């Protein structure tokens, strides 16, 4: 497993002595600061959309997630932050069972979506993924037209009987994703011909076209420039009115801007979870504080 | 000295030059404080010496061997008295072989005219002189080359660049050999075809519906005109290729999809090479499999349901050929399917598509250009295939679309036109070149098309 020492160096002054001191401090911090026995802060909410308890994930014999428990509330934006390799993407991918595509990956624990056990053997994964959609790190539009990209989900789930209904779903989804005005004249041009930010919004439109209840976003802005990022962030705030959103991000500013609650992961453990404002202004745990003040990451 | 021994000596000398060059560069480096003060590594100095030693000598040796025989022959014949001078090509060859036979001792001296015997002696002595001179020249060249290289070694010498340049030239020459050979083949086929089209009009060849070249040789027969209509052959080729593709494309594609998307790693590591073994079976083995097993089986099957099946049928040849080209389709399709980015699969699965929906709607369309390329390559292979068709489909040039009848293909006709004793200026044999040209153009166009598609596909994801 990756340790903090192997991670990217934090941004520090050019002064070598200061750098050494900071690195030593960081190493001491990651080695000596104990994990809390229990997640500090308030990981649970009343009447959650997703109730996740004691989640453990293994890649073959390698444990990537150690007993993470948290709730995701209705119409809430939850951001998952933490250094690289801390397991936040792995955790996110458990929520719609995308980890199933990895042969060596095993998931343990209680994961419920409104009372439905996600890992119930009788559960239809296809149906689950229609309820819990996912937007990936790198925009991945299909090499089809913009229209077909958005219509893909509704078509496979039979959401529209007539061409007219499908047109409406496509238009609504593109409008919600804030892309309609930019592409309405070229719906039949290839989706791969759009800019990076437009592609990512197309992927979001594609995801919400199947009317999911939860949208998972795995670093949706990491491949985008600041302007495209700003548009996506604005979009996330708008979407939170109708959807529940869990977003993994490396940008703490982004977490602070878009999310209601923030979870801090460290080496496969959930260290702290609380209201975003509390996490960024009064972190309870030393590790959280060290991360958000940029002492490592 | 004989050429073989000379070459051996050359190798020894080149190796010597190599080591002398190596020692000298080390010796030069020592007072300077190590080999890092040389411009190039000692290896390059040594290689440079070896090259100087070998290349001029080899070039001269090659030229010498290429031209000495004809020069000697000219000299010998020029020495003959006027009444024995050859007048045309055949008497030239006759006189020459007579002289050579006397010289080699196959013909006793008493059997021939005295001037011929004298010429034979002359030939012998000239050859000896030539061999001697060659040995001396080569050895001297070798030594001079080596010595020159040895003298020029200095710490500033850019030996590395020189060696690189020589190697680059060598690679280029090798590539040129392959290209020139292709050009030569194409040109020879082209010129022979032009001769053929001088005897048979192009339109008759391209649009004629009857193919019976055998009659053309027998001028005394009633049907002496010969018919060179290539349409039945093209039809036969297309029919058999179509049957082969009908077998190979679905089977190959589906096995590729299974291997790329469903099979576990263990199955894949065993199954993929096993499938590719199919491409390694010699076509003649497929041929007798088709002729002895598949064709009688099809005939039996057909008869049991009341169909009249020829004992050599297009179907048998096509089926077996289809099996042969499965790996062409499956291997290429497997590669392009695997090359579709995982992000595409994730995107589709993340929207709640099943695995087969993902394959059908996302992966297959994304990989389609590459798959098409694979199919076209397989088709080129099917069109050019000969052995299976010779053995299983017969020689009868029937113009038919019925797969149960015997048909023949372009390649098979080329084989039958050119095997056995033939005159090489009759329309019959020249027709083979015209057919070859057509075949070449067809497969070339298909290959260019296939490569173009594959290339276009690559640009999409990079």
């Amino acid at each position: 497993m990756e340790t903090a020492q192997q991670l990217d160096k934090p941004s520090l002054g050019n002064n070598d002595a200061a750098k050494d001191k900071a690195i030593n401090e960081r190493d001491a911090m990651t080695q000596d600061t104990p994990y809390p026995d229990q997640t500090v802060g308030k990981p649970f909410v009343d009447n959650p959309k997703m109730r996740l308890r004691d989640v453990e994930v293994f890649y073959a014999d390698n444990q990537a997630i150690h007993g993470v428990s948290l709730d995701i509330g209705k119409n809430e934006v939850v951001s998952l932050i933490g250094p690289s390799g801390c397991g936040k993407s792995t955790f996110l991918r458990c929520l719609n069972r995308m980890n199933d595509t990895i042969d060596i990956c095993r998931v343990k624990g209680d994961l419920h979506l409104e009372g439905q056990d996600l890992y119930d053997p009788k559960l239809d994964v296809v149906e689950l993924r229609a309820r819990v959609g996912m937007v990936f790190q790198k925009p991945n539009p299909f090499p089809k037209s913009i229209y077909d990209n958005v219509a893909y989900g509704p078509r496979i789930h039979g959401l529209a009987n007539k061409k007219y209904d499908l047109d409406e779903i496509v238009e609504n989804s593109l409008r919600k994703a804030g892309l309609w005005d930019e592409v309405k004249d070229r719906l039949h041009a290839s989706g791969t011909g759009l800019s990076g930010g437009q592609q990512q919004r197309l992927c979001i439109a594609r995801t919400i076209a199947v009317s999911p209840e939860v949208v998972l976003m795995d670093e949706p802005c990491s491949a985008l420039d600041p302007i495209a990022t700003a548009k996506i962030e604005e979009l996330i705030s708008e979407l939170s009115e109708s959807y529940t959103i869990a977003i993994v991000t490396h940008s703490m500013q982004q977490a602070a801007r878009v999310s209601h609650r923030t979870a801090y992961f460290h080496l496969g453990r959930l260290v702290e979870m609380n209201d975003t404002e509390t996490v960024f202004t009064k972190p309870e745990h030393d590790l959280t504080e060290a991360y958000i003040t940029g002492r490592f990451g | 000295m004989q050429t073989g021994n000379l070459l051996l000596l050359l190798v020894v000398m080149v190796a010597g030059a190599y080591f002398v060059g190596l020692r000298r560069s080390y010796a030069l480096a020592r007072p300077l404080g190590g080999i890092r003060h040389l411009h190039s590594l000692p290896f390059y100095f040594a290689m440079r010496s070896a090259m100087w030693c070998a290349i001029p000598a080899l070039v001269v040796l090659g030229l010498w061997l290429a031209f000495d025989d004809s020069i000697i022959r000219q000299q010998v014949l020029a020495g003959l008295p006027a009444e024995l001078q050859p007048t045309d090509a055949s008497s030239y060859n006759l006189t020459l072989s007579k002289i050579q036979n006397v010289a080699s001792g196959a013909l006793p001296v008493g059997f021939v005219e005295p001037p011929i015997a004298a010429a034979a002696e002359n030939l012998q002595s000239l050859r000896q002189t030539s061999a001697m001179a060659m040995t001396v020249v080569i050895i001297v060249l070798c030594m001079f080359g080596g010595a020159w290289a040895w003298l020029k070694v200095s710490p500033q010498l850019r030996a590395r660049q020189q060696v690189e340049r020589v190697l680059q030239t060598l690679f280029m020459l090798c590539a040129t050999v392959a290209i020139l050979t292709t050009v030569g083949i194409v040109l020879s086929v082209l010129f022979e075809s032009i001769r053929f089209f001088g005897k048979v009009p192009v339109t008759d060849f391209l649009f004629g519906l009857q193919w019976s070249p055998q009659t053309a040789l027998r001028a005394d027969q009633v049907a002496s005109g010969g018919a060179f209509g290539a349409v039945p052959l093209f039809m036969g080729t297309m029919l058999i290729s179509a049957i082969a593709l009908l077998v190979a494309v679905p089977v190959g594609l589906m096995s590729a999809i299974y291997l790329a998307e469903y099979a576990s790693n263990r199955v894949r590591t065993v199954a993929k090479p096993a499938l590719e073994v199919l491409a390694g079976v010699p076509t003649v083995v497929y041929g007798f499999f088709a002729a002895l097993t598949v064709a009688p089986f099809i005939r039996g099957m057909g008869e049991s349901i009341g169909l009249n099946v020829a004992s050599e049928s297009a179907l048998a040849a096509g089926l077996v050929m289809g099996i042969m080209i499965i790996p062409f389709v499956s291997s290429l399709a497997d590669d392009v399917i695997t090359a579709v980015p995982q992000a595409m699969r994730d995107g589709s699965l993340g929207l709640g598509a099943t695995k087969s929906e993902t394959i059908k709607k996302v992966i297959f369309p994304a990989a389609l250009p590459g798959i098409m390329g694979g199919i076209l390559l397989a088709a080129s292979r099917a069109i050019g295939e000969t052995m299976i068709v010779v053995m299983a489909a017969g020689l009868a040039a029937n113009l038919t679309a019925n797969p149960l009848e015997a048909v023949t293909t372009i390649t098979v006709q080329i084989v039958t036109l050119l095997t056995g004793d033939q005159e090489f200026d009759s329309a019959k044999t020249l027709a083979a070149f015209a057919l070859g040209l057509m075949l070449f153009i067809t497969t070339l166009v298909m290959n260019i098309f296939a490569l173009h598609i594959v290339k276009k596909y690559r640009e999409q994801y990079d």
Side-chain angles (χ1 to χ4, degrees):
Chain A
M1 191 179 290
E2 236 178 327
T3 60
Q5 284 91 326
Q6 294 167 312
L7 301 173
D8 293 341
K9 285 180 182 159
S11 50
L12 292 161
N14 289 327
N15 190 325
D16 274 359
K19 209 182 222 171
D20 286 350
K21 189 171 160 251
I23 289 171
N24 289 338
E25 210 172 282
R26 180 194 68 185
D27 291 352
M29 173 80 68
T30 51
Q31 278 158 14
D32 301 341
T33 311
Y35 301 110
D37 292 336
Q38 251 183 328
T39 304
V40 297
K42 287 177 282 184
F44 307 127
V45 295
D46 296 333
N47 196 11
K49 183 80 188 172
M50 296 192 95
R51 185 174 176 279
L52 313 156
R53 294 290 180 272
D54 304 319
V55 178
E56 306 206 314
V57 182
F58 301 83
Y59 289 110
D61 295 330
N62 210 341
Q63 188 164 5
I65 303 277
H66 302 262
V68 170
S69 300
L70 61 90
D71 283 338
I72 299 174
K74 286 204 174 77
N75 289 15
E76 183 178 60
V77 180
V78 170
S79 60
L80 313 179
I81 60 171
S84 299
C86 70
K88 50 197 193 302
S89 288
T90 301
F91 181 75
L92 194 74
R93 288 168 66 95
C94 295
L95 304 186
N96 71 343
R97 291 185 58 176
M98 281 305 283
N99 281 334
D100 289 12
T101 57
I102 301 165
D103 289 338
I104 55 167
C105 185
R106 281 182 302 125
V107 178
K108 279 188 196 164
D110 293 328
L111 297 92
H112 285 87
L113 171 66
E114 291 198 327
Q116 166 73 58
D117 181 0
L118 299 187
Y119 282 81
D120 183 350
K122 277 178 283 186
L123 173 97
D124 183 5
V125 181
V126 167
E127 194 204 331
L128 167 68
R129 289 185 190 147
R131 291 176 69 189
V132 184
M134 188 154 196
V135 176
F136 297 87
Q137 181 171 0
K138 213 178 138 215
N140 59 346
F142 303 131
K144 299 170 181 285
S145 72
I146 293 168
Y147 183 94
D148 287 338
N149 261 287
V150 182
Y152 184 84
R155 277 184 180 140
I156 55 176
H157 294 295
L159 297 183
N161 295 323
K162 299 200 186 80
K163 172 98 172 63
Y164 174 79
D165 294 341
L166 194 61
D167 287 350
E168 202 174 87
I169 293 177
V170 170
E171 183 179 337
N172 279 336
S173 308
L174 284 170
R175 274 189 196 284
K176 279 190 198 161
L179 195 59
W180 176 252
D181 290 333
E182 290 161 58
V183 301
K184 64 184 174 198
D185 300 325
R186 47 171 175 154
L187 286 177
H188 295 282
S190 174
T192 50
L194 297 172
S195 74
Q198 288 173 325
Q199 287 190 11
Q200 193 62 297
R201 278 181 284 152
L202 178 62
C203 293
I204 292 173
R206 186 175 73 182
T207 307
I208 58 184
V210 290
S211 318
E213 297 158 36
V214 182
V215 178
L216 308 176
M217 298 187 174
D218 188 356
E219 297 178 42
C221 302
S222 65
L224 305 182
D225 66 81
I227 293 169
T229 302
K231 280 191 179 165
I232 303 266
E233 286 178 5
E234 201 177 307
L235 177 59
I236 291 170
S237 306
E238 283 168 26
L239 292 176
S240 67
E241 287 167 20
S242 16
Y243 306 95
T244 302
I245 296 172
I247 176 171
V248 164
T249 177
H250 266 132
S251 155
M252 281 171 280
Q253 290 86 343
Q254 185 171 66
R257 280 192 297 262
V258 301
S259 67
H260 303 129
R261 292 197 306 139
T262 296
Y264 174 65
F265 280 71
H266 192 95
L267 298 184
R269 289 179 172 83
L270 178 57
V271 173
E272 180 164 357
M273 184 165 185
N274 216 327
D275 294 337
T276 298
E277 212 190 319
T278 316
V279 170
F280 284 101
T281 52
K282 294 188 286 281
E284 288 178 37
H285 199 271
D286 290 346
L287 282 170
T288 317
E289 193 190 344
Y291 181 71
I292 62 169
T293 53
R295 260 184 280 162
F296 62 85
Chain B
M1 195 185 289
Q2 278 184 338
T3 316
N5 292 344
L6 187 61
L7 277 175
L8 218 58
L9 183 69
L10 205 62
V11 169
V12 173
M13 290 178 75
V14 168
Y18 181 90
F19 283 108
V20 170
L22 200 65
R23 298 246 337 243
R24 180 159 162 81
S25 58
Y26 274 116
L28 273 177
R30 207 167 300 123
L32 292 174
I35 56 169
R36 68 200 170 86
H37 293 284
L38 298 177
H39 172 272
S40 309
L41 284 175
F43 166 77
Y44 287 105
F45 288 107
M47 276 304 282
R48 182 177 172 277
S49 301
M51 283 169 172
W52 266 107
C53 183
I55 291 172
L58 280 178
V59 169
V60 170
L61 182 66
L63 289 175
W64 197 296
L65 289 176
F67 293 112
D68 77 329
D69 215 39
S70 56
I71 292 172
I72 290 173
R73 257 186 259 150
Q74 287 296 332
Q75 291 237 314
V76 169
L77 286 177
L80 285 176
E83 69 271 17
L84 285 172
Q85 283 292 343
T87 47
D88 56 10
S90 58
S91 73
Y92 174 88
N93 283 334
L94 190 70
T95 316
L96 204 60
S97 66
K98 224 189 240 176
I99 296 172
Q100 274 167 350
N101 282 336
V102 174
S104 67
L107 204 64
V109 180
F111 275 55
V112 294
E113 302 89 330
I116 297 279
E121 233 166 83
N122 191 11
L123 180 73
Q124 284 279 52
S125 74
L126 277 175
R127 276 185 178 164
Q128 269 168 10
T129 321
S130 162
M132 194 78 108
M134 182 173 77
T135 312
V136 172
V137 168
I138 296 300
I139 291 175
V140 168
L141 262 178
C142 236
M143 290 167 83
F144 266 107
W148 169 255
W150 188 83
L151 280 175
K152 289 288 276 187
V153 173
S154 74
Q156 291 82 33
L157 181 70
R158 298 160 73 83
R160 178 158 36 100
Q161 278 84 342
Q162 293 182 9
V163 171
E164 289 292 334
R165 214 169 306 136
V166 170
L167 284 179
Q168 193 185 333
T169 314
L170 183 73
F171 296 142
M172 200 187 69
L173 283 177
C174 288
T176 317
V177 168
I179 294 168
L180 286 183
T181 314
T182 316
V183 171
I185 292 174
V186 171
L187 285 183
S188 83
V189 169
L190 191 66
F191 288 134
E192 298 294 331
S193 303
I194 290 170
R195 279 176 70 195
F196 171 74
F197 290 130
K199 296 180 190 234
V200 176
V202 181
T203 45
D204 284 11
F205 176 73
L206 286 181
F207 304 113
L209 298 183
Q210 213 197 343
W211 176 264
S212 54
Q214 286 79 359
T215 53
L217 277 183
R218 304 277 298 272
D220 54 328
Q221 281 193 334
V222 183
S224 62
F228 292 96
V231 172
L233 306 188
F234 273 99
M235 270 302 290
T237 307
M238 292 303 147
L239 180 63
I240 291 184
S241 304
I243 295 170
L245 288 177
L246 276 180
V247 174
V249 171
V251 176
L253 266 189
M254 289 185 203
S255 56
I257 288 173
Y258 170 73
L259 285 178
E261 294 291 325
Y262 291 100
S264 68
N265 257 341
R266 270 179 51 211
V267 173
R268 202 178 140 85
T269 47
V270 177
K272 206 176 175 206
L275 202 61
E276 274 156 13
V277 165
L278 278 181
V281 177
T283 55
V284 68
V285 175
Y286 279 115
F288 67 69
F289 174 63
L292 301 181
T293 315
V294 179
F297 175 74
I298 290 173
R299 192 175 156 81
M301 285 281 283
E303 275 169 356
S304 67
I305 56 170
L307 282 174
N308 190 16
V309 182
S311 60
E312 292 176 319
S313 64
L315 188 59
L319 286 180
V320 174
M321 199 193 282
I323 289 167
M324 183 189 80
I325 59 177
I326 284 174
F328 287 79
V329 179
S330 74
S331 190
L332 257 148
D334 182 47
D335 289 347
V336 295
I337 289 173
T338 318
V340 173
Q342 182 61 30
M344 294 292 130
R345 295 183 182 83
D346 283 349
S348 175
L349 293 173
L351 286 170
T354 63
K355 201 157 189 178
S356 69
E357 279 167 345
T358 303
I359 291 166
K360 197 167 63 192
K361 296 195 171 163
V362 174
I363 294 176
F364 192 74
L368 189 63
I371 291 171
M372 281 304 294
I375 291 174
L376 283 173
L377 286 182
S380 304
R381 183 70 210 269
I383 290 173
E385 171 53 35
T386 315
M387 217 55 222
I388 295 174
V389 194
V390 171
M391 297 172 87
L395 300 173
N398 293 325
L399 181 57
T400 176
N402 179 359
L404 301 178
E405 277 185 51
V407 295
T408 191
T409 66
I410 298 173
T411 49
V412 171
Q413 286 307 313
I414 293 176
V415 170
T416 51
L417 290 173
L418 290 184
T419 43
D421 293 335
Q422 304 287 357
E423 274 185 274
F424 265 82
D425 51 0
S426 70
K428 182 186 165 186
T429 45
L430 289 176
F433 290 99
L435 288 177
L437 185 66
M438 292 296 117
L439 195 63
F440 177 74
I441 291 172
T442 315
T443 47
L444 184 72
V445 168
M446 289 186 80
N447 279 343
I448 289 173
F449 199 49
L451 284 177
H452 179 72
I453 286 175
V454 171
K455 201 171 143 203
K456 210 172 155 191
Y457 165 77
R458 290 227 171 94
E459 287 164 358
Q460 205 177 341
Y461 287 116
D462 284 355

